Amino acid sequence: MSRLDPAALAALPADVQRPAYDRDALAPGIVHLGLGAFARAHLAVATEAARHADGDMRWGLVGVSMREAAVRDALAPQQGLYTVATRDADDAGRPRQRLRVIGGVREVLVAPEDPTAVLRAIARPATRLVSLTITEKGYAHDPATGALRLDHPAIAHDLAHAEAPRSAIGFVVHGLALRRAQGQGPITLLSLDNLPANGRTLQGLVQDFAGRVDAGLARWIEQGCTFPSSMVDRIVPRTTEADRAAVAAALGCDDAWPVVAEPFFDWAVEDRFAAGRPAWELGGARAVERAEPWEHLKLRMVNGSHSAIAYLGLLAGWRTVDEAIGQAPLRRFVDDLLRHEVAPTLPPLPGLDLAAYRASLLARFANPALAHRTQQIAMDGSQKLPQRLLGTVRDRIAAGQPIDRLALALAAWLQHLSGCDDAGREFTVDDPLAAALADLVAKADAQATAHARADALTRFAPVFGDLAGHPALVAALAPALESLRGRGARATLEAMT
Ligand code: CS2
């Protein structure tokens, strides 16, 4: 079969959407750090739709892979073209997909191969925006406090080596330094990761790092660059071989790296851009005054319950989110968690019907065409749980409210650190703090009582922060942990009222 590339576009089936503009005329306005599946199914799609709607050619994407060459190697022979397959089921439950070939990626750089090229791209006159989807751990910060980790090897390296950074924060700051040195103006730095106040968090890390290398640069950034916060929402599972085969069959040519997504798309972004932006509202985004309330809603409702499903599902042996949410006790648990423990902590949002939001979320999780693996979502829990579950826990404890379901979700994360499901099958615990977490579990296991075990587990400061040893948290965690250890996730869920 031939390969997807510009010459193949004309022969694609008529129902495949494709670029309808002159790709050669596309200026490289966006440098995007972390060109994974999520960015290709979210930022790139909204930018493509905006471009089709208004013909603004300033916003081509220069993608940067932060670690590996795989995306570049897949997309270079396709001259940056790739397919987004949006999948769900029709009313009769039959899976269906819509295909769209995206043309906005002009170039893919591989940071470790050529760090200078990344710095030069950030400094280029055409660059107006640097966006990031580098996952939570890519920020090299302390998840509980948001502070830059000076003990992080990549940060320590980058503070000393301006010319060949390794971390995203190092690339941003040294790239901005080069911009300033070359007389180019300030730009926007846009985080699209699932962090609370992601713009402000990025700004704090960038300013802290910049202040350590050059006070003048730190001032220049502070005075001219902007860091809008934004809430992003779209479920994008990792692409599988089966996805590649299905997309190739539908296209009639091979795409080495298509991405699969749900049809749902949401993006609430603060309209504070230092050097302009694409008209993303033409591609489904919403410009908002403050993104934080939307981030709060999304992190606690969508990601909080997603992580709960992932850990409970992994323990119970449910491999995908739709399989897990199809189990009545888990579905009831998630609905109750959202309804009784998460929703009451959220401030009212203009135009938002929380009950409809919850119902639509459960329907998204039940999408049978995504096969989103619980093990994928279980990754990097130490970086995710503070904003997904612990903020809610903190608010509820402060208000004297029960946290039983939140505690079960946390207990499932802690139990999954044993690397073994309820049937004794082993899996890998994929977490940047895995070694420290293994020590923690060993220490907890040496305790004599359930209460002492739970107490020891909450002492893990990077995750629990000021909740370490909190009596209300320990009191709710201890029975949840005991139940998961004793009778497993499935029976624990069944026993919950
Ligand atoms: C998921 C998210 O992998 C995960 O941790 O919870 O990637 C989730 O699918 C998206 O945030 C949905 O917008």
Side-chain angles (χ1 to χ4, degrees):
M1 211 184 264
S2 63
R3 189 78 174 260
L4 173 66
D5 65 13
L9 286 176
L12 295 177
D15 59 352
V16 177
Q17 287 180 282
R18 67 203 79 180
Y21 51 86
D22 176 9
R23 294 187 71 222
D24 293 335
L26 203 51
I30 304 177
V31 173
H32 183 80
L33 306 185
L35 193 67
F38 181 74
R40 289 198 280 138
H42 192 277
L43 169 75
V45 171
T47 309
E48 184 89 352
R51 184 179 305 120
H52 275 109
D54 70 0
D56 186 346
M57 299 299 279
R58 290 176 301 167
W59 306 104
L61 252 104
V62 176
V64 180
S65 292
M66 299 302 292
R67 288 191 304 264
E68 285 155 17
V71 172
R72 191 269 321 274
D73 293 348
L75 298 196
Q78 304 177 181
Q79 295 187 38
L81 294 175
Y82 67 92
T83 316
V84 176
T86 46
R87 290 193 183 153
D88 61 358
D90 65 15
D91 291 341
R94 281 184 301 258
R96 59 181 176 188
Q97 67 176 3
R98 287 176 64 89
L99 302 183
R100 173 166 204 165
V101 174
I102 302 294
V105 176
R106 285 191 44 120
E107 191 186 359
V108 183
L109 305 173
V110 182
E113 269 180 20
D114 192 353
T116 312
V118 179
L119 297 174
R120 288 206 186 114
I122 294 174
R124 213 156 27 203
T127 301
R128 297 161 172 275
L129 177 56
V130 174
S131 48
L132 302 91
T133 50
I134 51 176
T135 81
E136 296 85 347
K137 63 175 176 262
Y139 289 80
H141 69 318
D142 181 66
T145 63
L148 182 66
R149 276 185 50 201
L150 297 170
D151 66 336
H152 193 292
I155 295 295
H157 172 272
D158 292 0
L159 283 168
H161 299 90
E163 64 309 325
R166 292 180 187 161
S167 70
I169 302 297
F171 274 110
V172 167
V173 174
H174 294 308
L176 290 173
L178 189 59
R179 255 194 104 74
R180 177 169 175 251
Q182 295 184 350
Q184 302 300 330
I187 53 173
T188 307
L189 293 311
L190 180 65
S191 166
L192 301 174
D193 280 296
N194 286 315
L195 295 173
N198 54 11
R200 251 194 319 124
T201 302
L202 174 63
Q203 181 170 23
L205 298 169
V206 165
Q207 292 290 167
D208 185 352
F209 188 109
R212 291 169 195 277
V213 293
D214 177 349
L217 172 67
R219 252 192 323 276
W220 183 86
I221 295 173
E222 195 180 344
Q223 284 163 5
C225 292
T226 57
F227 298 78
S229 283
S230 79
M231 175 276 279
V232 290
D233 195 1
R234 181 169 237 187
I235 295 173
V236 185
R238 185 177 297 145
T239 306
T240 64
E241 281 312 317
D243 297 329
R244 284 191 178 86
V247 169
L251 286 178
C253 60
D254 272 327
D255 178 347
W257 209 325
V259 292
V260 171
E262 63 176 338
F264 181 93
F265 173 98
D266 198 8
W267 188 7
V269 55
E270 290 175 356
D271 210 353
R272 296 188 286 112
F273 286 78
R277 65 164 172 86
W280 283 315
E281 57 275 20
L282 302 174
R286 298 179 280 138
V288 294
E289 190 75 25
R290 281 187 60 232
E292 275 178 48
W294 295 102
E295 294 185 283
H296 231 66
L297 165 81
K298 194 267 171 167
L299 287 168
R300 291 186 177 192
M301 294 284 281
V302 180
N303 297 112
S305 58
H306 226 187
S307 288
I309 294 168
Y311 299 118
L312 288 162
L314 202 52
L315 293 175
W318 301 320
R319 293 181 64 246
T320 63
V321 173
D322 63 302
E323 181 189 356
I325 205 77
Q327 316 289 323
L330 182 83
R331 189 185 173 91
R332 200 184 52 232
F333 166 79
V334 172
D335 194 40
D336 287 346
L337 169 72
L338 293 170
R339 190 194 297 260
H340 300 304
E341 297 193 14
V342 180
T345 70
L346 300 169
L349 275 163
L352 181 82
D353 173 348
L354 210 47
Y357 186 88
R358 192 182 69 238
S360 121
L361 180 56
L362 291 173
R364 291 169 63 196
F365 288 160
N367 186 337
L370 290 178
H372 198 186
R373 287 169 51 97
T374 44
Q375 176 134 37
Q376 187 190 343
I377 302 159
M379 254 177 73
D380 297 347
S382 69
Q383 314 294 302
K384 293 173 172 173
L385 294 197
Q387 56 274 18
R388 294 181 177 209
L389 294 170
L390 287 161
T392 317
V393 165
R394 207 169 270 118
D395 285 356
R396 289 187 67 80
I397 289 181
Q401 292 161 337
I403 54 165
D404 299 337
R405 297 178 186 87
L406 290 157
L408 180 60
L410 287 170
W413 172 62
L414 291 162
Q415 178 65 19
H416 116 286
L417 296 175
S418 67
C420 190
D421 76 7
D422 294 343
R425 283 178 297 240
E426 292 186 2
F427 53 79
T428 310
V429 176
D430 196 341
D431 194 295
L433 302 183
L437 288 166
D439 290 348
L440 175 78
V441 169
K443 214 180 281 163
D445 281 347
Q447 304 298 316
T449 66
H451 190 275
R453 257 196 306 279
D455 183 86
L457 290 168
T458 66
R459 303 282 165 182
F460 194 70
V463 172
F464 291 97
D466 61 1
L467 284 170
H470 194 293
L473 175 61
V474 175
L477 255 186
L481 280 163
E482 277 318 280
S483 181
L484 288 177
R485 283 162 67 112
R487 47 183 169 176
R490 186 188 294 257
T492 299
L493 289 166
E494 276 164 3
M496 274 198 113
T497 49

